[in-house]
Every structure is written in C-alpha cells, then in structure tokens.
Amino acid sequence: MKTPGSMLLFACTLFAVAGIGSCAALDCYDCSFPASNCGDPFDPAGVTPMACPSGNVCTAQNSSSGGTEVFSRGCTEADSCTTGCVTSEGVTSCSYCCNEDRCNSRSIADAVADILHCYYCTYKSASNFSSPACNDPFNPNGDGVVQYPCADGQCGVLTTNHTGQSTLSRLCISDSTSPRGCTPGCDALGITCQTCCSENLCNVGLAATPSTTKPSAATPTVGGGKASLAAISLVSAGLLVVLR
Ligand SMILES: *[C@@H]1O[C@H](CO)[C@@H](O)[C@H](O)[C@H]1NC(C)=O
Ligand SMILES: *[C@@H]1O[C@H](CO)[C@@H](O)[C@H](O)[C@H]1NC(C)=O
Ligand SMILES: *[C@@H]1O[C@H](CO)[C@@H](O)[C@H](O)[C@H]1NC(C)=O
C-alpha cells in the first residue's frame, strides 16, 4: 500500500543513496500537551527539537484523553505514519507526517484540511461480526462505523450478493490496489457492484444494483472481484490500525 509515510521513506532512501544526509538525522519538535505548549497553533518557543532515528519522519497528532484534547509532536517511523483523521465512537484523532527539519510546527487542522476521508464499515447478512448500521438505512454514528483517510483513491460503496449471502462495505477504493481505480457499476454476473465518489464522507448511499446498472462490457469479472477483495482486506487492515 502506498501511504504518504512509505513515500516519505522512499524519498528518504533515495536521499540516503545520493549521499544527502538530511534524512539520517531529521530534527523534529518533541513535546506533549498539556505538559508544555504543544497545541494548535504551535508556539516553538521553549520547545527543544530532538534528532530522530534514521528512517523517521516528524509528526504531530491530537487525540482525546478523558474528554480533553491532548497534543503530541515528535518523531515516528515513516511506515506507520498516516496523514488524516480517524473518527471512531464520536472521537476524532488527527495526525500528519512531514519530512523536513522541524516541519511539525504546522497546525494539525491545516495539515489534514484537504485529505479525503471515507466511511469504513461492513455489513454481512447472516454474520454476527458485522455492522447493521452500515446497511440501508445507513447510520453514520452507529456501532462499527468509522471514518478513515483515503490517501490515493475514492470513497466507495461495494456490495456482493452470492449464494444467498450479501455484504455491503463502505470503504476507500485505492488506486494502488484497484488497477483502474474505483470503477462504478456491476460485474457481468451482477455479483459485485460498486459506486464511487470523491467528496469527503460521500459514501453514504446504496451501491448500484444489477437491475439498475448495465454491466460494463469492458470490466472483466475476475479483475473486479480481485480488486474488491483487495479493497476489503485494506479496510480490515485499516480497522486493525484503528483498534490498536
Ligand atoms: C483534532 O483536530 C481535528 C482538526 O482540527 C478536530 O476536528 C478534532 O476534534 C480534534 N480532536 C480532538 C480529540 O479534539
Ligand atoms: C451468532 O448469534 C446467534 C444468536 O444471536 C448465536 O446463536 C450464534 O451462536 C452466534 N454465532 C457465532 C459464530 O457467534
Ligand atoms: C440477492 O440476490 C437475490 C436473488 O439472487 C435477491 O432475491 C436478493 O434480494 C438480493 N439481495 C440483495 C441484498 O441485493
């Protein structure tokens, strides 16, 4: 998966190969609020930058502790850093990653303002491990529905209906795992259908249905199915991150 973090790491590796040493010892502001003045807007006066281990990037994040907004700024591994916000059970935590000395002075709200976010959830008929709130009628505040950043794709609603089992997933369909990006419509057999949209939290509706959408002749069933599975496993990975 191409995350901003892994791209930063990739850039870092290139720099390292080229002998530009800036990645090896990135300086990042290191603080946590309310212990110091670490919040948004950030005031660097009195905050000492720290030298990060090689392969790290700077980060800033906010979260909730006992109903109070808390901030932290520091170094983090490029691979585990995602820019955007996760909303779960009514609490929104945001973070960003950046790759220049002391770049984590930037306001978190500004850094995440233009990131696309999608609803993530899955409803499965005949399964106890599913979120009824995800189904029609969709309840964005219901159990098991989270909001997650979608760095390189579109928000989607994906349904499958096969051998009496139906599933409905709301997710980010990533350009890096779905070969042609999110392709609206149904496969030729009408088993898998999806809709795509690019506005923040737009994947609230129902997916296309086989009866209302003509199958796209150019879409091979197998390719679509594989892409959908990849997308679903991405959601699972995303949820794992949320639950950690
Ligand atoms: C974190 O920052 C975002 C963006 O400013 C805000 O919407 C969110 O409510 C904040 N989270 C907490 C727990 O205060
Ligand atoms: C699912 O729930 C039903 C009743 O709510 C229960 O009988 C069944 O054992 C559960 N199945 C699993 C796998 O937990
Ligand atoms: C799944 O397909 C069956 C017929 O194959 C249909 O009766 C049923 O309504 C469909 N379910 C959904 C959720 O689309």
Side-chain angles (χ1 to χ4, degrees):
M1 185 169 74
K2 252 188 208 161
T3 64
S6 62
M7 281 189 277
L8 290 177
L9 182 61
F10 178 65
C12 247
T13 312
L14 279 188
F15 284 135
V17 167
I20 305 169
S22 64
C23 280
L26 201 55
D27 281 345
C28 305
Y29 287 112
D30 179 35
C31 61
S32 56
F33 183 83
S36 57
N37 184 17
C38 198
D40 258 356
F42 177 63
D43 177 7
V47 179
T48 316
M50 72 175 283
C52 297
S54 169
N56 275 27
V57 293
C58 299
T59 185
Q61 51 193 281
N62 74 343
S63 57
S64 170
S65 174
T68 306
E69 183 175 20
V70 295
F71 294 87
S72 69
R73 293 174 198 268
C75 309
T76 190
E77 284 180 20
D79 263 351
S80 61
C81 195
T82 304
T83 294
C85 303
V86 175
T87 302
S88 178
E89 294 175 358
V91 178
T92 301
S93 302
C94 304
S95 64
Y96 67 84
C97 341
C98 58
N99 197 22
E100 279 166 37
D101 280 338
R102 294 175 295 281
C103 58
N104 60 341
S105 60
R106 190 179 180 197
S107 137
I108 296 166
D110 284 355
V112 301
D114 295 328
I115 305 287
L116 176 65
H117 291 83
C118 310
Y119 287 110
Y120 279 76
C121 56
T122 298
Y123 168 76
K124 281 185 189 169
S125 66
S127 163
N128 295 0
F129 302 101
S130 96
S131 161
C134 197
N135 202 18
D136 181 35
F138 177 51
N139 175 7
N141 301 313
D143 280 353
V145 179
V146 299
Q147 300 168 23
Y148 209 72
C150 185
D152 61 348
Q154 285 184 285
C155 301
V157 180
L158 182 111
T159 53
T160 63
N161 186 4
H162 192 44
T163 62
Q165 274 261 14
S166 64
T167 67
L168 184 152
S169 300
R170 305 181 188 277
L171 72 176
C172 161
I173 297 176
S174 158
D175 295 345
S176 57
T177 54
S178 201
R180 284 177 306 274
C182 190
T183 310
C186 298
D187 67 64
L189 296 178
I191 292 174
T192 300
C193 299
Q194 63 188 16
T195 57
C196 314
C197 60
S198 303
E199 303 290 315
N200 227 17
L201 303 178
C202 58
N203 55 340
V204 294
L206 281 175
T209 54
S211 50
T212 57
T213 311
K214 293 206 173 73
S216 146
T219 309
T221 308
V222 173
K226 269 188 191 154
S228 309
L229 283 181
I232 287 173
S233 53
L234 259 188
V235 175
S236 313
L239 288 178
L240 281 180
V241 169
V242 174
L243 294 174
R244 256 198 292 172

